[in-house]
Amino acid sequence: MKKILSFLVGTVVFSYTGAVSANTQKELDSACEQGSSENCILAADAYVKGSNGVLNYTKAIEFYNKACVADPNSNACKEIIFTDSAVTASLRNISDVSANAQSKLLKSPNEEELKNVFDTLKKECDLNNDNRACAIYGDMLVSGIGCDRNLELGLSVLNQSAAKADLYALSSLGYRYYNGIDVEPNEFKAFRLLNVSCDNDDFGACRMVSSIYRKGLGVGVKKDDLIKIYQQKCDEQKAVSCHKLANIKNASEDEHETEQALELLKMGCDLGGVRSCVELGDMYSNGTIKQRDNEYAFSCYKTACDKNDPIGCLNLGYAYRMGSGIEQDIKLAYKLFHKSCKRGSSQACAVLAQMPRLEDN
């Protein structure tokens, strides 16, 4: 088995589409188990939103999968985007204990240090039910890092954290399902998880999602179908759909489609989509378009960071550290990296690990 720790995979936000039934969750689950594709979708929608008092993303994916297998033409297969709800800020933020542990893991610790991190996370998970601590602890168990490997327990802990909307756990499981690492490969589950990871600024996940776009989903959803779905939702002023449509356009080497992607990202940013703002800033800062504009890129990153987006704050921190589009300010850059790390950016945590601690005078 490949030995990995997926804390660098990134983070995710999960949202949903579809009607939610007034039936109890137990009744919907039972109807789904009896073979009703429609009720499987309703059950899954309810789990995503927590509308029946149970927020459980792991169950949601299980029920979407059942619906799609039962009826390949159902909305579970074709309406593969979620646009109406998202993990709350309180669920996205991580504790100081988890942030510090994640930072230590990024410093290439020795075996003794790894064991100390593992013990700290286990304690935080067991005693305080810290969902992020549980997720990283589960990941370490799966990979046998800092501990004796326990695949069954590790996957169980990861799934429990994912069910409670931990972004790290959702991303880790998506990566594993995509690559078939420690689990049977499942493109449908991988896409569900990684698509959401991509929504929440995990560009590694975006690359894997793009790969699935190119070859078509295992459940039969093709690129042209996705474009129609995303275009319709974008026209309905769903910012995340404009962003996803832009990603598909950006995957093309056609200059006209790149221009379309730029306009879609501007639309998504104007609609309040922070991830569109971040990607728009990237296009203006990294030479994707003919005319670089670091000042405009800075404004895009600031818009996203002001809304507490971790990657917006990460890139804003880079701008201040390098003096790109703004006067250089190392201390402010440090604060922005810290804010980004606290909101779940592994990359920001890694940057902090390499910087001297900067305190206010």
Side-chain angles (χ1 to χ4, degrees):
M1 292 285 186
K2 199 173 186 179
K3 194 173 187 181
I4 66 165
L5 181 65
S6 35
F7 57 84
L8 289 175
V9 171
T11 57
V12 292
V13 170
F14 213 120
S15 46
Y16 92 109
T17 194
V20 176
S21 172
N23 294 357
T24 68
Q25 194 68 55
K26 186 175 180 180
E27 289 171 337
L28 287 173
D29 291 359
S30 177
C32 174
E33 296 294 351
Q34 292 171 22
S36 169
S37 174
E38 181 180 352
N39 279 298
C40 287
I41 295 173
L42 291 172
D45 287 342
Y47 275 126
V48 169
K49 191 175 181 182
S51 56
N52 286 327
V54 184
L55 177 72
N56 191 322
Y57 292 140
T58 304
K59 275 288 186 183
I61 289 177
E62 175 187 333
F63 278 95
Y64 281 128
N65 196 27
K66 285 179 181 291
C68 187
V69 170
D71 180 5
N73 295 314
S74 74
N75 289 339
C77 300
K78 291 189 174 180
E79 292 187 14
I80 53 176
I81 53 176
F82 309 98
T83 56
D84 295 337
S85 70
V87 173
T88 65
S90 62
L91 287 172
R92 291 187 64 183
N93 290 341
I94 60 176
S95 69
D96 288 337
V97 172
S98 294
N100 290 336
Q102 196 163 330
S103 179
K104 288 178 182 178
L105 288 171
L106 290 161
K107 293 181 179 179
S108 301
N110 58 38
E111 287 298 321
E112 182 178 352
E113 291 169 330
L114 283 172
K115 186 179 184 307
N116 288 336
V117 170
F118 175 83
D119 290 341
T120 298
L121 291 169
K122 183 179 186 303
K123 180 179 179 181
E124 190 71 4
C125 178
D126 291 343
L127 296 182
N128 297 322
N129 199 29
D130 182 324
N131 209 20
R132 175 55 56 86
C134 292
I136 305 174
Y137 158 60
D139 225 15
M140 294 181 80
L141 277 171
V142 170
S143 299
I145 294 176
C147 62
D148 292 331
R149 189 167 188 259
N150 189 328
L151 179 60
E152 183 177 357
L153 177 59
L155 288 175
S156 174
V157 173
L158 266 177
N159 273 287
Q160 288 174 37
S161 295
K164 296 176 185 175
D166 181 75
L167 307 174
Y168 176 106
L170 288 163
S171 193
S172 171
L173 287 171
Y175 177 79
R176 292 179 184 281
Y177 280 117
Y178 180 82
N179 291 287
I181 297 174
D182 302 313
V183 295
E184 286 295 319
N186 187 317
E187 199 170 64
F188 183 83
K189 288 184 179 180
F191 184 85
R192 288 273 179 189
L193 295 164
L194 292 169
N195 197 35
V196 180
S197 303
C198 177
D199 287 347
N200 193 49
D201 317 309
D202 177 4
F203 297 111
C206 288
R207 286 192 293 271
M208 287 183 272
V209 167
S210 294
S211 173
I212 299 176
Y213 282 151
R214 286 192 295 273
K215 66 181 181 179
L217 282 175
V219 294
V221 181
K222 304 299 182 183
K223 176 180 174 180
D224 289 346
D225 297 322
L226 287 168
I227 289 174
K228 290 177 183 177
I229 294 168
Y230 294 156
Q231 185 65 66
Q232 178 185 345
K233 296 295 182 181
C234 182
D235 291 343
E236 295 171 3
Q237 297 196 321
K238 299 292 187 180
V240 69
S241 298
C242 298
H243 173 75
K244 290 178 181 178
L245 184 55
N247 281 339
I248 295 178
K249 299 288 185 181
N250 260 336
S252 169
E253 296 181 359
D254 183 271
E255 185 175 328
H256 179 62
E257 293 214 335
T258 301
E259 292 174 356
Q260 289 181 335
L262 192 67
E263 292 306 312
L264 286 162
L265 290 173
K266 287 180 179 177
M267 186 183 302
C269 186
D270 289 343
L271 289 170
V274 291
R275 286 168 292 283
S276 290
C277 298
V278 170
E279 199 155 332
L280 185 61
D282 289 345
M283 289 184 74
Y284 274 99
S285 67
N286 64 16
T288 302
I289 56 177
K290 293 178 180 179
Q291 185 64 43
R292 291 190 182 188
D293 188 335
N294 288 330
E295 289 186 8
Y296 185 77
F298 172 86
S299 70
C300 293
Y301 296 144
K302 188 176 187 306
T303 297
C305 185
D306 287 347
K307 295 181 180 179
N308 294 319
D309 180 77
I311 305 304
C313 293
L314 171 69
N315 289 349
L316 194 62
Y318 282 133
Y320 274 108
R321 189 170 75 169
M322 303 301 295
S324 178
I326 192 68
E327 186 177 348
Q328 187 181 49
D329 189 330
I330 301 298
K331 185 171 288 188
L332 183 52
Y334 182 90
K335 289 180 179 179
L336 289 163
F337 290 138
H338 187 266
K339 180 179 179 179
S340 177
C341 177
K342 280 285 290 178
R343 280 160 176 76
S345 169
S346 298
Q347 188 175 348
C349 296
V351 173
L352 283 176
Q354 302 302 320
M355 292 181 72
R357 186 173 181 84
L358 300 175
E359 302 289 356
D360 289 328
N361 292 325

